[in-house]
Amino acid sequence: MTKSPGSEAGAFKISYQGEPGANSHLAAREVYPDAESVAYPTFEDALAAVKTGEATYAMIPIENSVAGRVADIHHLLPEAGLYIVGEHFLRVRHQLMAKPGASLATIKRVMSHTQALGQCRATLRKLGLKPVPEADTAGSARLVSEGDDLTTAAIASRLAAEIYGLEILKSDVEDQSHNTTRFIILAKEPDDAEPGNGPVMTTFLFRVRNVPAALYKALGGFATNGVNMTKLESYQEEGTFNASRFFADIEGHPVDRPVQLALEELSFFSTQTQILGTYPASPYRKEAAELAANGLVSIKRSV
């Protein structure tokens, strides 16, 4: 299990993709405020840092409540040789920022990561700003800070604005107020949650052949055994369309009898089932479910 926040005073490093001030940096600081957060240019580099021992954990975004899954992660995880030991949900607040002297009247275009631009699409359209995709939110803030162009802005975190000396022209420009990114925390060795010690999640990969009813048969055991599957995503591999690999999250521990039976039935109809980790469910899951049940989740926000 991952250490609780503040349980180790600077005793380890946590890797993330991006530059200082990125949302992954914020997530790492929220979960491990006393650890050293280390930036890496790519997801592959951040994962490799854990594999080689340069970092203890990697904080990797996997999906967003507005923009959907983060590209490439599902392809990287099977080959990373790492294990999921925790999850964290970060409420993402995007800030529109530019060089001192710029204003909403001077800016014409906005740089940021594709996911961030997608999460602010309606706002940017209403402001008449052209989105310009870049590799990273914080990196976009750095590029703006290094230039002298008062027509170019960036969308990034408040921390990025502080780091790169930019002024926030408009706060919280995300289109939807529930904008949240789910991160997974990966380690070199498995550290599964103990059974019977609170709600847990289990994440696994499996492959089925492209034949009629293959997925229906593979997943039948989860329905008949009452195992809740909270996530199921498919993607093609190796440039062929002969088989699909699926990424799945379920509620429960592999030692639980219903989960055991469901996984056994899955094995009859799938190949290469790979459990990536069993870890404590984030408290955010329960909070979000209660808000949704009470109709308190705001879907849209005004510009």
Side-chain angles (χ1 to χ4, degrees):
M1 305 232 332
T2 56
K3 311 297 186 296
S4 60
S7 62
E8 292 188 38
F12 60 93
K13 296 179 180 180
I14 181 162
S15 65
Y16 67 90
Q17 183 275 330
E19 298 192 27
N23 285 303
S24 296
H25 186 191
L26 292 176
R29 296 207 322 179
E30 281 192 3
V31 180
Y32 302 110
D34 296 318
E36 180 184 356
S37 299
V38 183
Y40 289 86
T42 67
F43 287 123
E44 292 93 332
D45 292 333
L47 296 172
V50 177
K51 189 68 174 179
T52 61
E54 292 178 23
T56 302
Y57 300 129
M59 182 70 69
I60 302 295
I62 193 165
E63 59 186 325
N64 177 268
S65 62
V66 177
R69 70 182 181 188
V70 178
D72 297 333
I73 298 302
H74 299 76
H75 292 284
L76 296 175
L77 287 180
E79 310 303 327
L82 302 179
Y83 301 89
I84 303 174
V85 296
E87 65 176 355
H88 180 63
F89 290 81
L90 177 72
R91 170 67 174 88
V92 178
R93 292 178 167 85
H94 291 305
Q95 317 302 320
L96 180 63
M97 60 192 69
K99 295 273 289 188
S103 68
L104 290 177
T106 67
I107 60 173
K108 303 299 181 185
R109 62 182 197 141
V110 182
M111 299 192 299
S112 196
H113 189 277
T114 302
Q115 281 258 337
L117 293 172
Q119 293 160 24
C120 305
R121 183 178 294 110
T123 303
L124 297 182
R125 186 181 301 114
K126 289 182 179 181
L127 292 174
L129 300 176
K130 178 183 178 181
V132 180
E134 287 289 343
D136 181 57
T137 55
S140 298
R142 177 182 56 77
L143 289 173
V144 170
S145 71
E146 292 174 348
D148 294 316
D149 186 1
L150 299 185
T151 67
T152 301
I155 288 176
S157 69
R158 192 170 296 274
L159 176 60
E162 295 173 2
I163 291 174
Y164 301 109
L166 300 178
E167 291 185 352
I168 295 175
L169 305 181
K170 190 173 181 61
S171 298
D172 300 340
V173 294
E174 61 276 7
D175 295 333
Q176 298 184 358
S177 60
H178 62 70
N179 189 26
T180 301
T181 295
R182 178 190 177 210
F183 291 81
I184 53 175
I185 304 165
L186 296 121
K188 187 175 181 179
E189 302 293 337
D191 193 7
D192 290 344
E194 294 294 331
N197 191 25
V200 300
M201 304 297 297
T202 296
T203 297
F204 59 94
L205 300 164
F206 67 95
R207 179 183 291 151
V208 297
R209 291 184 299 118
N210 263 340
V211 296
L215 182 61
Y216 173 81
K217 294 175 182 177
L219 298 182
F222 295 95
T224 56
N225 288 285
V227 177
N228 187 29
M229 180 171 287
T230 62
K231 181 182 180 67
L232 179 67
E233 290 194 344
S234 67
Y235 55 98
Q236 301 297 325
E237 292 186 306
E238 301 170 355
T240 71
F241 294 90
N242 297 321
S244 296
R245 174 170 270 182
F246 291 86
F247 180 100
D249 291 330
I250 59 172
E251 295 177 349
H253 199 290
V255 303
D256 298 339
R257 186 59 178 163
V259 176
Q260 284 184 0
L261 294 173
L263 291 175
E264 286 176 5
E265 190 162 340
L266 173 67
S267 68
F268 295 142
F269 301 104
S270 67
T271 60
Q272 296 182 339
T273 301
Q274 177 185 359
I275 294 180
L276 297 179
T278 298
Y279 47 93
S282 168
Y284 175 87
R285 291 182 178 274
K286 182 178 180 180
E287 296 167 3
E290 291 174 349
L291 287 173
N294 293 324
L296 298 178
V297 178
S298 176
I299 302 301
K300 285 250 184 183
R301 63 177 295 277
S302 60
V303 177

